[in-house]
Amino acid sequence: MFIRDTLAGYGLVSRLIHWLMAIAIFAMFGLGLWMVDLDYYSPYYHTAPSIHKGVGILLLIALAVRFGWRLANVKPSDEGFTDFEKTASRIVHRGFYPLLLALMVSGYLISTADGRPIDVFGLFSVPSPGENKGLEDTAGVVHAYLAYFTIALAAAHAAGALKHHFVDRDRTLSRMWSGPRKS
C-alpha cells in the first residue's frame, strides 16, 4: 500500500484527506442549509451552529494539511488526458484551495464578529480578531455564495471523474479510490 502519491496514482494519505473532506464539505452544506431555517425554539438552534463551526475549523486545518501534503508529493500523471481535460483539471484543482479557504475564512468572520471565540468541540478555541458589528451580515452573504459555488465546482469535479470512469474507462477515478496499481 502506497502512503505517498506516485505518478501512477494517489497514496493513502491523499485519498483519506480527499474523501473525508469531500464527505464533510457536502455534510456541512446540508447542515448549513438546514440550520439557517431553525427557529429559537428548536432544540438544535445552538447545537447545529456549534457543530458547523467546529467542523469548519477542523476542515480549515485539514485544508492546510492537504495543501502541505500536495506540495510535498508528486502529482499523478495526466498522460492520456486531452489538452482541454488537463486545463480543466488544473483549474478545478487549483481553484479548490483558494475557494475553500475563502469559504472557511468567511465562516470564521461570521462566527467571531461578536468578539467571541469559536469553541471546537471543547478541544480548543479559536480566538476572535475582535468585535466587528455588522460584519456577520456581509460575511454571511459571501459565505452563502461561496458555499453554493463550492458545491457546483465539486459536482463538476465529480462529473469529470465519473466521465473518465464510465465513458473513457480509464483509471482516473480508480487512482483516487484505490490508489496506484502495485507493480
Side-chain angles (χ1 to χ4, degrees), residues 16-37:
L16 279 174
I17 294 172
H18 173 273
W19 290 110
L20 289 173
M21 284 188 72
I23 291 165
I25 288 166
F26 276 97
M28 289 284 281
F29 183 73
L31 178 60
L33 288 177
W34 175 70
M35 73 181 196
V36 296
D37 288 332

PDB file of all heavy atoms in Angstrom, residues 16-37:
ATOM      1  N   LEU A  16      -7.361   9.542   1.780  1.00  0.00           N
ATOM      2  CA  LEU A  16      -8.133   9.734   3.017  1.00  0.00           C
ATOM      3  C   LEU A  16      -8.543  11.192   3.194  1.00  0.00           C
ATOM      4  O   LEU A  16      -9.710  11.486   3.510  1.00  0.00           O
ATOM      5  CB  LEU A  16      -7.324   9.264   4.231  1.00  0.00           C
ATOM      6  CG  LEU A  16      -7.316   7.778   4.498  1.00  0.00           C
ATOM      7  CD1 LEU A  16      -6.352   7.439   5.634  1.00  0.00           C
ATOM      8  CD2 LEU A  16      -8.705   7.262   4.811  1.00  0.00           C
ATOM      9  N   ILE A  17      -7.592  12.091   3.019  1.00  0.00           N
ATOM     10  CA  ILE A  17      -7.917  13.513   3.180  1.00  0.00           C
ATOM     11  C   ILE A  17      -8.966  13.935   2.152  1.00  0.00           C
ATOM     12  O   ILE A  17      -9.920  14.641   2.479  1.00  0.00           O
ATOM     13  CB  ILE A  17      -6.652  14.391   3.076  1.00  0.00           C
ATOM     14  CG1 ILE A  17      -5.712  14.123   4.252  1.00  0.00           C
ATOM     15  CG2 ILE A  17      -7.021  15.869   3.027  1.00  0.00           C
ATOM     16  CD1 ILE A  17      -4.357  14.803   4.131  1.00  0.00           C
ATOM     17  N   HIS A  18      -8.808  13.496   0.898  1.00  0.00           N
ATOM     18  CA  HIS A  18      -9.750  13.857  -0.168  1.00  0.00           C
ATOM     19  C   HIS A  18     -11.170  13.423   0.177  1.00  0.00           C
ATOM     20  O   HIS A  18     -12.106  14.223   0.161  1.00  0.00           O
ATOM     21  CB  HIS A  18      -9.305  13.219  -1.485  1.00  0.00           C
ATOM     22  CG  HIS A  18     -10.279  13.394  -2.606  1.00  0.00           C
ATOM     23  ND1 HIS A  18     -11.322  12.519  -2.824  1.00  0.00           N
ATOM     24  CD2 HIS A  18     -10.377  14.335  -3.561  1.00  0.00           C
ATOM     25  CE1 HIS A  18     -12.015  12.917  -3.878  1.00  0.00           C
ATOM     26  NE2 HIS A  18     -11.473  14.024  -4.345  1.00  0.00           N
ATOM     27  N   TRP A  19     -11.340  12.142   0.511  1.00  0.00           N
ATOM     28  CA  TRP A  19     -12.684  11.624   0.732  1.00  0.00           C
ATOM     29  C   TRP A  19     -13.292  12.127   2.041  1.00  0.00           C
ATOM     30  O   TRP A  19     -14.497  12.414   2.094  1.00  0.00           O
ATOM     31  CB  TRP A  19     -12.690  10.096   0.664  1.00  0.00           C
ATOM     32  CG  TRP A  19     -12.447   9.618  -0.736  1.00  0.00           C
ATOM     33  CD1 TRP A  19     -11.334   8.997  -1.224  1.00  0.00           C
ATOM     34  CD2 TRP A  19     -13.325   9.778  -1.860  1.00  0.00           C
ATOM     35  NE1 TRP A  19     -11.466   8.755  -2.564  1.00  0.00           N
ATOM     36  CE2 TRP A  19     -12.682   9.221  -2.986  1.00  0.00           C
ATOM     37  CE3 TRP A  19     -14.582  10.330  -2.023  1.00  0.00           C
ATOM     38  CZ2 TRP A  19     -13.262   9.199  -4.251  1.00  0.00           C
ATOM     39  CZ3 TRP A  19     -15.163  10.318  -3.290  1.00  0.00           C
ATOM     40  CH2 TRP A  19     -14.502   9.757  -4.389  1.00  0.00           C
ATOM     41  N   LEU A  20     -12.497  12.255   3.085  1.00  0.00           N
ATOM     42  CA  LEU A  20     -13.033  12.786   4.339  1.00  0.00           C
ATOM     43  C   LEU A  20     -13.464  14.241   4.174  1.00  0.00           C
ATOM     44  O   LEU A  20     -14.538  14.637   4.663  1.00  0.00           O
ATOM     45  CB  LEU A  20     -12.008  12.651   5.469  1.00  0.00           C
ATOM     46  CG  LEU A  20     -11.761  11.226   5.965  1.00  0.00           C
ATOM     47  CD1 LEU A  20     -10.599  11.194   6.963  1.00  0.00           C
ATOM     48  CD2 LEU A  20     -13.021  10.616   6.565  1.00  0.00           C
ATOM     49  N   MET A  21     -12.651  15.022   3.469  1.00  0.00           N
ATOM     50  CA  MET A  21     -13.036  16.418   3.233  1.00  0.00           C
ATOM     51  C   MET A  21     -14.262  16.497   2.334  1.00  0.00           C
ATOM     52  O   MET A  21     -15.152  17.329   2.565  1.00  0.00           O
ATOM     53  CB  MET A  21     -11.872  17.216   2.635  1.00  0.00           C
ATOM     54  CG  MET A  21     -10.809  17.566   3.649  1.00  0.00           C
ATOM     55  SD  MET A  21      -9.563  18.680   3.001  1.00  0.00           S
ATOM     56  CE  MET A  21     -10.499  20.224   2.907  1.00  0.00           C
ATOM     57  N   ALA A  22     -14.328  15.654   1.304  1.00  0.00           N
ATOM     58  CA  ALA A  22     -15.486  15.681   0.399  1.00  0.00           C
ATOM     59  C   ALA A  22     -16.772  15.382   1.159  1.00  0.00           C
ATOM     60  O   ALA A  22     -17.772  16.109   1.026  1.00  0.00           O
ATOM     61  CB  ALA A  22     -15.283  14.678  -0.732  1.00  0.00           C
ATOM     62  N   ILE A  23     -16.742  14.346   1.970  1.00  0.00           N
ATOM     63  CA  ILE A  23     -17.934  13.982   2.765  1.00  0.00           C
ATOM     64  C   ILE A  23     -18.285  15.117   3.723  1.00  0.00           C
ATOM     65  O   ILE A  23     -19.452  15.518   3.837  1.00  0.00           O
ATOM     66  CB  ILE A  23     -17.692  12.661   3.517  1.00  0.00           C
ATOM     67  CG1 ILE A  23     -17.627  11.497   2.526  1.00  0.00           C
ATOM     68  CG2 ILE A  23     -18.771  12.424   4.571  1.00  0.00           C
ATOM     69  CD1 ILE A  23     -17.050  10.217   3.100  1.00  0.00           C
ATOM     70  N   ALA A  24     -17.282  15.647   4.412  1.00  0.00           N
ATOM     71  CA  ALA A  24     -17.535  16.718   5.381  1.00  0.00           C
ATOM     72  C   ALA A  24     -18.071  17.975   4.707  1.00  0.00           C
ATOM     73  O   ALA A  24     -18.982  18.625   5.236  1.00  0.00           O
ATOM     74  CB  ALA A  24     -16.257  17.035   6.161  1.00  0.00           C
ATOM     75  N   ILE A  25     -17.544  18.326   3.546  1.00  0.00           N
ATOM     76  CA  ILE A  25     -17.996  19.539   2.853  1.00  0.00           C
ATOM     77  C   ILE A  25     -19.459  19.403   2.420  1.00  0.00           C
ATOM     78  O   ILE A  25     -20.257  20.325   2.607  1.00  0.00           O
ATOM     79  CB  ILE A  25     -17.053  19.878   1.682  1.00  0.00           C
ATOM     80  CG1 ILE A  25     -15.725  20.401   2.239  1.00  0.00           C
ATOM     81  CG2 ILE A  25     -17.692  20.875   0.724  1.00  0.00           C
ATOM     82  CD1 ILE A  25     -14.596  20.458   1.233  1.00  0.00           C
ATOM     83  N   PHE A  26     -19.822  18.261   1.863  1.00  0.00           N
ATOM     84  CA  PHE A  26     -21.223  18.077   1.471  1.00  0.00           C
ATOM     85  C   PHE A  26     -22.133  18.028   2.700  1.00  0.00           C
ATOM     86  O   PHE A  26     -23.238  18.584   2.684  1.00  0.00           O
ATOM     87  CB  PHE A  26     -21.395  16.821   0.602  1.00  0.00           C
ATOM     88  CG  PHE A  26     -21.095  17.068  -0.843  1.00  0.00           C
ATOM     89  CD1 PHE A  26     -19.854  16.771  -1.371  1.00  0.00           C
ATOM     90  CD2 PHE A  26     -22.049  17.624  -1.684  1.00  0.00           C
ATOM     91  CE1 PHE A  26     -19.561  17.013  -2.704  1.00  0.00           C
ATOM     92  CE2 PHE A  26     -21.785  17.875  -3.022  1.00  0.00           C
ATOM     93  CZ  PHE A  26     -20.532  17.570  -3.530  1.00  0.00           C
ATOM     94  N   ALA A  27     -21.669  17.395   3.773  1.00  0.00           N
ATOM     95  CA  ALA A  27     -22.457  17.362   5.011  1.00  0.00           C
ATOM     96  C   ALA A  27     -22.608  18.766   5.591  1.00  0.00           C
ATOM     97  O   ALA A  27     -23.691  19.139   6.062  1.00  0.00           O
ATOM     98  CB  ALA A  27     -21.805  16.426   6.027  1.00  0.00           C
ATOM     99  N   MET A  28     -21.537  19.543   5.546  1.00  0.00           N
ATOM    100  CA  MET A  28     -21.596  20.920   6.057  1.00  0.00           C
ATOM    101  C   MET A  28     -22.559  21.773   5.230  1.00  0.00           C
ATOM    102  O   MET A  28     -23.266  22.620   5.769  1.00  0.00           O
ATOM    103  CB  MET A  28     -20.201  21.550   6.040  1.00  0.00           C
ATOM    104  CG  MET A  28     -19.271  20.980   7.086  1.00  0.00           C
ATOM    105  SD  MET A  28     -19.623  21.595   8.718  1.00  0.00           S
ATOM    106  CE  MET A  28     -18.833  23.189   8.604  1.00  0.00           C
ATOM    107  N   PHE A  29     -22.592  21.540   3.934  1.00  0.00           N
ATOM    108  CA  PHE A  29     -23.520  22.283   3.075  1.00  0.00           C
ATOM    109  C   PHE A  29     -24.957  21.950   3.483  1.00  0.00           C
ATOM    110  O   PHE A  29     -25.781  22.847   3.673  1.00  0.00           O
ATOM    111  CB  PHE A  29     -23.271  21.941   1.602  1.00  0.00           C
ATOM    112  CG  PHE A  29     -24.134  22.711   0.655  1.00  0.00           C
ATOM    113  CD1 PHE A  29     -23.899  24.056   0.413  1.00  0.00           C
ATOM    114  CD2 PHE A  29     -25.177  22.096  -0.002  1.00  0.00           C
ATOM    115  CE1 PHE A  29     -24.696  24.775  -0.474  1.00  0.00           C
ATOM    116  CE2 PHE A  29     -25.984  22.807  -0.890  1.00  0.00           C
ATOM    117  CZ  PHE A  29     -25.739  24.146  -1.120  1.00  0.00           C
ATOM    118  N   GLY A  30     -25.239  20.659   3.645  1.00  0.00           N
ATOM    119  CA  GLY A  30     -26.578  20.251   4.069  1.00  0.00           C
ATOM    120  C   GLY A  30     -26.930  20.789   5.446  1.00  0.00           C
ATOM    121  O   GLY A  30     -28.037  21.297   5.666  1.00  0.00           O
ATOM    122  N   LEU A  31     -25.989  20.715   6.379  1.00  0.00           N
ATOM    123  CA  LEU A  31     -26.220  21.244   7.729  1.00  0.00           C
ATOM    124  C   LEU A  31     -26.459  22.745   7.673  1.00  0.00           C
ATOM    125  O   LEU A  31     -27.369  23.265   8.341  1.00  0.00           O
ATOM    126  CB  LEU A  31     -25.031  20.925   8.636  1.00  0.00           C
ATOM    127  CG  LEU A  31     -25.097  21.443  10.068  1.00  0.00           C
ATOM    128  CD1 LEU A  31     -26.309  20.884  10.806  1.00  0.00           C
ATOM    129  CD2 LEU A  31     -23.801  21.104  10.804  1.00  0.00           C
ATOM    130  N   GLY A  32     -25.676  23.448   6.861  1.00  0.00           N
ATOM    131  CA  GLY A  32     -25.845  24.897   6.732  1.00  0.00           C
ATOM    132  C   GLY A  32     -27.215  25.268   6.195  1.00  0.00           C
ATOM    133  O   GLY A  32     -27.867  26.188   6.700  1.00  0.00           O
ATOM    134  N   LEU A  33     -27.662  24.552   5.166  1.00  0.00           N
ATOM    135  CA  LEU A  33     -28.994  24.824   4.608  1.00  0.00           C
ATOM    136  C   LEU A  33     -30.083  24.568   5.645  1.00  0.00           C
ATOM    137  O   LEU A  33     -31.048  25.324   5.746  1.00  0.00           O
ATOM    138  CB  LEU A  33     -29.247  23.947   3.381  1.00  0.00           C
ATOM    139  CG  LEU A  33     -28.485  24.281   2.114  1.00  0.00           C
ATOM    140  CD1 LEU A  33     -28.803  23.261   1.023  1.00  0.00           C
ATOM    141  CD2 LEU A  33     -28.801  25.687   1.631  1.00  0.00           C
ATOM    142  N   TRP A  34     -29.930  23.500   6.399  1.00  0.00           N
ATOM    143  CA  TRP A  34     -30.935  23.127   7.382  1.00  0.00           C
ATOM    144  C   TRP A  34     -30.952  24.099   8.562  1.00  0.00           C
ATOM    145  O   TRP A  34     -32.014  24.543   8.993  1.00  0.00           O
ATOM    146  CB  TRP A  34     -30.662  21.702   7.856  1.00  0.00           C
ATOM    147  CG  TRP A  34     -31.561  21.235   8.951  1.00  0.00           C
ATOM    148  CD1 TRP A  34     -32.896  20.944   8.860  1.00  0.00           C
ATOM    149  CD2 TRP A  34     -31.186  21.007  10.314  1.00  0.00           C
ATOM    150  NE1 TRP A  34     -33.369  20.544  10.091  1.00  0.00           N
ATOM    151  CE2 TRP A  34     -32.336  20.574  10.995  1.00  0.00           C
ATOM    152  CE3 TRP A  34     -29.995  21.118  11.014  1.00  0.00           C
ATOM    153  CZ2 TRP A  34     -32.328  20.248  12.340  1.00  0.00           C
ATOM    154  CZ3 TRP A  34     -29.983  20.797  12.358  1.00  0.00           C
ATOM    155  CH2 TRP A  34     -31.144  20.369  12.999  1.00  0.00           C
ATOM    156  N   MET A  35     -29.773  24.469   9.055  1.00  0.00           N
ATOM    157  CA  MET A  35     -29.735  25.239  10.305  1.00  0.00           C
ATOM    158  C   MET A  35     -30.175  26.689  10.142  1.00  0.00           C
ATOM    159  O   MET A  35     -30.638  27.285  11.104  1.00  0.00           O
ATOM    160  CB  MET A  35     -28.356  25.167  10.961  1.00  0.00           C
ATOM    161  CG  MET A  35     -27.293  25.957  10.295  1.00  0.00           C
ATOM    162  SD  MET A  35     -25.742  25.723  11.175  1.00  0.00           S
ATOM    163  CE  MET A  35     -24.847  27.106  10.495  1.00  0.00           C
ATOM    164  N   VAL A  36     -30.071  27.245   8.944  1.00  0.00           N
ATOM    165  CA  VAL A  36     -30.476  28.650   8.801  1.00  0.00           C
ATOM    166  C   VAL A  36     -31.981  28.834   8.938  1.00  0.00           C
ATOM    167  O   VAL A  36     -32.451  29.945   9.163  1.00  0.00           O
ATOM    168  CB  VAL A  36     -29.973  29.283   7.469  1.00  0.00           C
ATOM    169  CG1 VAL A  36     -28.463  29.326   7.429  1.00  0.00           C
ATOM    170  CG2 VAL A  36     -30.536  28.553   6.261  1.00  0.00           C
ATOM    171  N   ASP A  37     -32.725  27.742   8.836  1.00  0.00           N
ATOM    172  CA  ASP A  37     -34.177  27.829   8.992  1.00  0.00           C
ATOM    173  C   ASP A  37     -34.662  27.447  10.391  1.00  0.00           C
ATOM    174  O   ASP A  37     -35.863  27.437  10.645  1.00  0.00           O
ATOM    175  CB  ASP A  37     -34.874  26.940   7.957  1.00  0.00           C
ATOM    176  CG  ASP A  37     -34.779  27.518   6.553  1.00  0.00           C
ATOM    177  OD1 ASP A  37     -34.684  28.757   6.427  1.00  0.00           O
ATOM    178  OD2 ASP A  37     -34.786  26.733   5.588  1.00  0.00           O
TER     179      ASP A  37
END
